[in-house]
Amino acid sequence: IALSTFVENLNDIEGISASYIDTGNGAALIVKSEPGAENSIRMAVTPSVDNSLISNISYDPENVVLDVAEKQIQAASDAHIVIDGVNVYRSNNVITDLLSGVEINLHTAVSEEEAVKIKGAEDKEKLKDKISVLIGSINELKTYLNNLTQRGLYGKEAGPLAGDHKIQGIERTLNSLTTSPISGFGQNRTYLSELGVKTNLDGQLSFDEDIFNRFLSVQSSSNGKAQDILFQDRYFSSSNAISVTKFDNNYNPSAGSYSFEITSNSEGNYIMTIDGNEHTLNSDENGGFQTSIFSGNLEGLKLNIQESDISDASTGTIYVGLSFSDKLSTYLSKLIGSTGELQNHNDTYEKRKIEIDEEFDNIEDQEEKLTDRYNLQFGGMEATITKWKSTGIYLDNIMEMWRNQNK
């Protein structure tokens, strides 16, 4: 097989990029994979004939003496960053899921003495604009629903869905979402009113910038940040030794705070008890421990702990913060779509319409049958009356004849 064809075949493999160059002393094959330790490349070649050139293409990253020393230019590895004493690993040098609203670009390794301080601040004006847009959208939806369900009192025209319990239920849920506390972002729960989002007497929302500015000036780890509470879900631990991530968006963990305790059993295994449920801590590829949770309030979350830090994380709290916008989006997703509540409600209306049409058809059939029956009965009655009239005339004639004979 030609080297060019071999390169084309390699490029057909997802996650692999291959090329070759003329070094002036022969051809060099260059093979790259996606970033991250889990994307390490291993190549095994079995030539149909004894061919040392083809065999030389094989590569095993565990063969340190030959393959790594002679063929490896850059080892597959994860980016490693230590933030506030917590070891964090990512497959890419561009990290966007570590700090809310912060993108970290890693260019070179540094020593502990060269550690970089990361300082971020929320863009207050942009955040205000996002809040205003969010409030405006909710108010438009509320106005639309109100127009649909208004009862037509005091001379107003009734809405097409006046008295519809499903739409009224949607209105109540929206009101509940905007007035219920938001938990999981710290020790305290937070209400939208504390961020300046107020519910007026007519049900519409308004934004008080003065209250919002006061919240920004005092926000802390006890109640969370405004940006997160409104727009960004957060999963974290009270212990810096534990990192919390969501590994599958198909799971829906429940917002709140959950106490944990780490102990070791008689077999020497670490057990993490979270909110009364036990989870075994398994060794990971970085020499630490991890556990993935597939059910319960923390479903879909993965917890990582470095071995050197596990003694510092014996007790603490896991926080699951679901933002207001996430709650709103989740609820609206349940409403719309081919299997949403609104579609099901519409299907109920369509079914009822068919039933009413069938009932109307039955009424028309009964009306036609009753008409035929009454026509037949009235025809018989008319014939009887005509007969009675003929009999009366006959009797009148006889009586007249009798009177004439007696004169």
Side-chain angles (χ1 to χ4, degrees):
I1 184 173
L3 183 58
S4 59
T5 303
F6 183 57
V7 168
E8 291 177 0
N9 293 339
L10 287 175
N11 283 322
D12 289 337
I13 302 174
E14 185 177 357
I16 295 294
S17 173
S19 62
Y20 69 94
I21 59 175
D22 185 354
T23 65
N25 190 29
L29 174 65
I30 301 174
V31 183
K32 301 177 182 178
S33 67
E34 296 292 335
E38 65 178 8
N39 294 313
S40 177
I41 297 175
R42 178 180 284 102
M43 298 176 62
V45 179
T46 306
S48 57
V49 296
D50 186 14
N51 188 323
S52 59
L53 179 61
I54 296 296
S55 301
N56 194 46
I57 295 178
S58 64
Y59 168 75
D60 184 351
E62 295 182 1
N63 190 343
V64 178
V65 177
L66 295 178
D67 287 350
V68 173
E70 296 183 3
K71 303 175 184 178
Q72 178 175 276
I73 297 176
Q74 174 65 53
S77 62
D78 289 332
H80 177 202
I81 181 172
V82 181
I83 181 166
D84 288 338
V86 180
N87 290 283
V88 178
Y89 296 87
R90 294 291 186 271
S91 62
N92 202 297
N93 287 332
V94 180
I95 303 174
T96 59
D97 61 350
L98 188 58
L99 301 173
S100 177
V102 177
E103 179 179 283
I104 301 175
N105 289 274
L106 304 178
H107 296 285
T108 185
V110 297
S111 64
E112 186 175 348
E113 290 75 18
E114 300 173 309
V116 177
K117 288 185 177 181
I118 300 175
K119 184 177 181 181
E122 292 173 315
D123 190 320
K124 185 186 299 184
E125 296 307 317
K126 285 186 178 180
L127 189 53
K128 288 180 181 179
D129 291 341
K130 290 173 66 176
I131 295 173
S132 297
V133 171
L134 177 63
I135 290 176
S137 299
I138 295 174
N139 284 340
E140 286 182 12
L141 177 58
K142 286 190 170 188
T143 300
Y144 178 70
L145 294 176
N146 286 336
N147 291 336
L148 286 178
T149 58
Q150 65 180 1
R151 293 186 174 275
L153 302 176
Y154 308 110
K156 293 183 179 180
E157 183 179 354
L161 295 178
D164 187 289
H165 296 296
K166 170 58 71 173
I167 304 302
Q168 292 172 348
I170 293 174
E171 292 181 293
R172 287 193 296 270
T173 301
L174 284 176
N175 291 332
S176 176
L177 284 174
T178 56
T179 56
S180 298
I182 300 172
S183 59
F185 289 94
Q187 300 169 9
N188 303 325
R189 300 186 301 176
T190 304
Y191 290 86
L192 290 183
S193 58
E194 297 178 59
L195 281 73
V197 181
K198 301 187 298 183
T199 302
N200 303 329
L201 292 177
D202 60 358
Q204 294 282 294
L205 300 180
S206 61
F207 182 44
D208 189 318
E209 293 192 12
D210 291 335
I211 296 177
F212 175 74
N213 291 333
R214 284 199 296 271
F215 181 88
L216 290 184
S217 65
V218 299
Q219 64 182 1
S220 64
S221 59
S222 63
N223 55 9
K225 294 184 177 180
Q227 165 71 24
D228 297 334
I229 294 171
L230 290 169
F231 301 107
Q232 181 68 49
D233 295 348
R234 280 202 68 200
Y235 314 102
F236 62 100
S237 168
S238 60
S239 170
N240 290 332
I242 300 177
S243 63
V244 185
T245 55
K246 188 176 183 181
F247 66 83
D248 192 334
N249 288 327
N250 292 319
Y251 289 95
N252 297 298
S254 300
S257 56
Y258 305 92
S259 59
F260 71 82
E261 180 181 13
I262 299 177
T263 57
S264 58
N265 58 20
S266 58
E267 299 175 353
N269 297 320
Y270 287 108
I271 304 297
M272 190 173 194
T273 303
I274 310 175
D275 203 34
N277 298 313
E278 293 186 351
H279 304 275
T280 301
L281 295 178
N282 303 307
S283 300
D284 61 22
E285 66 274 12
N286 297 312
F289 299 91
Q290 63 90 22
T291 185
S292 298
I293 304 173
F294 295 90
S295 62
N297 291 329
L298 299 177
E299 64 174 18
L301 298 185
K302 182 179 181 180
L303 283 62
N304 289 85
I305 312 170
Q306 286 300 110
E307 183 176 18
S308 58
D309 297 328
I310 199 164
S311 60
D312 297 328
S314 57
T315 59
T317 305
I318 301 296
Y319 293 97
V320 178
L322 303 181
S323 66
F324 171 74
S325 61
D326 178 83
K327 290 183 177 180
L328 181 61
S329 297
T330 300
Y331 176 64
L332 293 179
S333 296
K334 292 180 180 179
L335 290 179
I336 61 178
S338 58
T339 59
E341 293 181 17
L342 287 180
Q343 182 60 50
N344 293 336
H345 195 50
N346 182 70
D347 292 343
T348 300
Y349 270 118
E350 291 291 340
K351 182 179 179 181
R352 182 55 184 154
K353 179 179 178 297
I354 294 173
E355 292 174 349
I356 292 175
D357 289 341
E358 292 176 349
E359 291 174 2
F360 184 74
D361 290 339
N362 290 333
I363 292 174
E364 286 186 328
D365 290 342
Q366 292 176 9
E367 180 185 8
E368 184 176 349
K369 291 177 180 179
L370 285 172
T371 300
D372 293 341
R373 175 185 169 189
Y374 291 151
N375 286 336
L376 181 62
Q377 290 176 340
F378 282 127
M381 185 186 302
E382 186 176 3
T384 301
I385 293 173
T386 301
K387 184 178 179 180
W388 287 348
K389 285 183 178 180
S390 297
T391 303
I393 293 172
Y394 174 73
L395 293 174
D396 287 342
N397 290 336
I398 291 176
M399 293 296 292
E400 182 65 27
M401 184 180 66
W402 286 350
R403 283 194 295 269
N404 292 333
Q405 289 177 352
N406 292 327
K407 288 180 178 180

